[in-house]
Amino acid sequence: MKIMPNRMDRGFFEYQEEFEKKALEVLRSGWYILGKEVEAFEKEFAAYVGAQHCIGLASGLDALSLAFRALNIGPGDEVIVQANTYIASVMGITMNGATPVFVEPDEYYGPDPDAVEAAITPKTKAVLVVHLYGQSCRMDRIVSIAKKHGLKLVEDCAQSHGATFEGKMTGSFGDIGCFSFYPSKNLGAFGDAGAIVTDDEAIDARIRMLRNYGSRKRYYNEEVGVNSRLDELQAGLLRVRLSHLKEMTREKQLLADTYDSNLMPAGGSFEIPKRLEGANHVFHQYVIRCKDKETRERLIEYLSERGIGTIIHYPIPPHLSEAYAYLGFEKGSFPVTESYADTVLSIPMYNGMTQPEQAAVIGALNSFS
Ligand SMILES: *Cc1c(COP(=O)(O)O)cnc(C)c1O
């Protein structure tokens, strides 16, 4: 049996008829950009998150970069972000000329709230939290720190569609919530797509203008904007997926529960993910942590020999990437982040994963030492 880390085809075939019907409907409508599907999706997704407004965009990175732009954060401004994130989170900051200030994560992969507070300087304008792997950050503490210091709060929800903290949806805590609908995300399109959610009317209006060449009224351009429009086809297909998101999330959570209760690492070779109290984890990824880098290398090889694929999210933290060499960080600057990068491993987890597939993964992991 060959088991891939992710299977997007399964999620398609589960609702094939609905997707194909919607795709044909949009193709035959003769209207492909900013139309009724985008409008309907924006309404439905805002309601889902519990936000006043949603603006459909072309990608998650656009959501992040437009978020900081809409908050007027730029050169000379600092944004605090956990160091153990996907590099897009950081690019959203630096594309605006602002400076990322990295902080170490806690054991749940969110930013350590004490480290966030300690990193605040007179230049700090915002905190960007990333609900990594599908688990909410400690929003009780983060929200109060942001409030206390008068900082803007932006959430990177690219991996946390439907995840909550104390019953409240991620994306609804901050000034702006940024979403990606990249095909492998929990709410995935069939191409690139993203969105911003906000309760702020002025931010909503500004993002709507920016995504369409800085124009509110056709051919009347107020600002140098971008082209970052969600298209009708993706919006229509996302509406189909959104209508099933509850059951799809439930399915992943059950897979995670099965892993939790059946994985028995021999000799402490790896650890299962820790659950943060109050957080409803949606398991974009099921991430185990190996004893050390060498153990991870052996485990990857061991699983691969048994036909089981894995992925490392992410092997090189942004501060050590070539892209950010100019920030001047060296190995050892963020030891917790770097140790996570050396030891995390995402094991197969996807909608439509069968019981025999999961049993094979569990069997292989439990026979490793
Ligand atoms: C996927 C992802 C992004 C970027 O989304 P795109 O749609 O690929 O631009 C940003 N942040 C995180 C945490 C992600 O996982």
Side-chain angles (χ1 to χ4, degrees):
M1 193 176 350
K2 190 132 185 63
I3 304 168
M4 299 198 287
N6 194 2
R7 290 287 302 258
M8 284 172 285
D9 54 336
R10 299 273 177 87
F12 165 69
F13 286 115
E14 179 75 25
Y15 310 106
Q16 180 177 4
E17 272 181 37
E18 288 176 66
F19 285 129
E20 291 181 353
K21 183 166 167 276
K22 179 57 82 178
L24 277 179
E25 187 187 317
V26 175
L27 291 175
R28 288 169 178 171
S29 74
W31 191 274
Y32 307 115
I33 297 282
L34 298 185
K36 67 179 182 24
E37 294 293 340
V38 170
E39 240 171 72
F41 174 72
E42 288 176 342
K43 274 211 184 80
E44 291 160 8
F45 194 66
Y48 177 81
V49 176
Q52 291 299 312
H53 311 279
C54 167
I55 310 100
L57 302 167
S59 73
L61 176 61
D62 282 358
L64 287 156
S65 74
L66 290 174
F68 293 109
R69 185 157 170 200
L71 294 171
N72 299 314
I73 290 171
D77 298 333
E78 294 177 356
V79 178
I80 297 171
V81 61
Q82 75 234 52
N84 62 318
T85 186
Y86 179 54
I87 201 157
S89 317
V90 183
M91 289 186 179
I93 298 167
T94 58
M95 283 167 75
N96 287 286
T99 305
V101 173
F102 297 113
V103 295
E104 294 273 41
D106 59 20
E107 57 190 328
Y108 310 100
Y109 302 107
D112 175 344
D114 293 326
V116 170
E117 193 151 30
I120 296 170
T121 75
K123 291 182 177 171
T124 309
K125 289 283 154 41
V127 178
L128 171 63
V129 295
V130 187
H131 306 296
L132 206 66
Y133 309 141
Q135 179 159 247
S136 169
C137 305
R138 296 181 186 222
M139 296 314 287
D140 48 351
R141 296 224 28 222
I142 303 279
V143 167
S144 71
I145 291 167
K147 275 213 179 97
K148 181 174 147 196
H149 296 273
L151 305 175
K152 298 291 182 193
L153 180 57
V154 180
E155 299 176 72
D156 182 339
C157 306
Q159 305 189 1
S160 73
H161 316 78
T164 59
F165 185 78
E166 290 172 350
K168 192 169 154 60
M169 281 274 185
T170 54
S172 69
F173 287 92
D175 297 276
I176 296 182
C178 302
F179 287 85
S180 164
F181 307 121
Y182 181 78
S184 67
K185 309 290 187 187
N186 278 24
L187 177 60
F190 294 81
D192 276 309
I196 272 178
V197 299
T198 183
D199 284 340
D200 187 315
E201 211 166 299
I203 290 175
D204 173 62
R206 181 113 187 268
I207 305 270
R208 276 178 200 289
M209 172 189 61
L210 288 171
R211 78 168 169 188
N212 194 24
Y213 298 113
S215 151
R216 247 182 269 258
K217 208 170 101 190
R218 202 165 204 191
Y219 304 132
Y220 180 83
N221 301 77
E222 298 167 45
E223 270 193 69
V224 180
V226 296
N227 174 355
S228 182
R229 299 172 300 217
L230 176 62
D231 63 71
E232 285 286 284
L233 187 58
Q234 297 305 337
L237 296 171
L238 279 167
R239 290 181 68 202
V240 173
R241 192 92 85 185
L242 182 59
S243 73
H244 296 292
L245 187 55
K246 255 202 191 115
E247 73 220 38
M248 290 174 63
T249 300
R250 191 71 206 122
E251 185 191 358
K252 281 194 144 185
Q253 290 174 326
L254 289 175
L255 288 166
D257 290 346
T258 302
Y259 273 142
D260 276 5
S261 48
N262 288 281
L263 286 175
M264 281 171 292
S269 51
F270 65 88
E271 277 176 29
I272 62 168
K274 294 194 175 76
R275 312 266 189 128
L276 171 63
E277 209 185 311
N280 184 30
H281 198 321
V282 296
F283 287 95
H284 172 56
Q285 303 293 346
Y286 190 92
V287 179
I288 62 171
R289 205 145 77 215
C290 301
K291 193 163 63 186
D292 49 37
K293 194 173 186 177
E294 182 270 323
T295 306
R296 182 175 70 183
E297 265 158 42
R298 281 195 302 113
L299 179 57
I300 292 170
E301 186 60 33
Y302 185 85
L303 293 174
S304 158
E305 281 163 7
R306 284 156 184 77
I308 299 167
T310 52
I311 307 185
I312 299 168
H313 295 102
Y314 302 90
I316 304 172
H319 71 276
L320 296 180
S321 73
E322 211 182 319
Y324 288 117
Y326 74 87
L327 293 173
F329 291 105
E330 275 168 36
K331 220 174 158 105
S333 319
F334 296 96
V336 178
T337 296
E338 291 166 30
S339 91
Y340 287 175
D342 285 344
T343 54
V344 292
L345 190 63
S346 305
I347 62 175
M349 153 78 72
Y350 46 85
N351 288 109
M353 186 176 203
T354 65
Q355 196 273 333
E357 285 172 343
Q358 191 174 26
V361 177
I362 292 167
L365 279 161
N366 285 350
S367 66
F368 174 80
S369 59

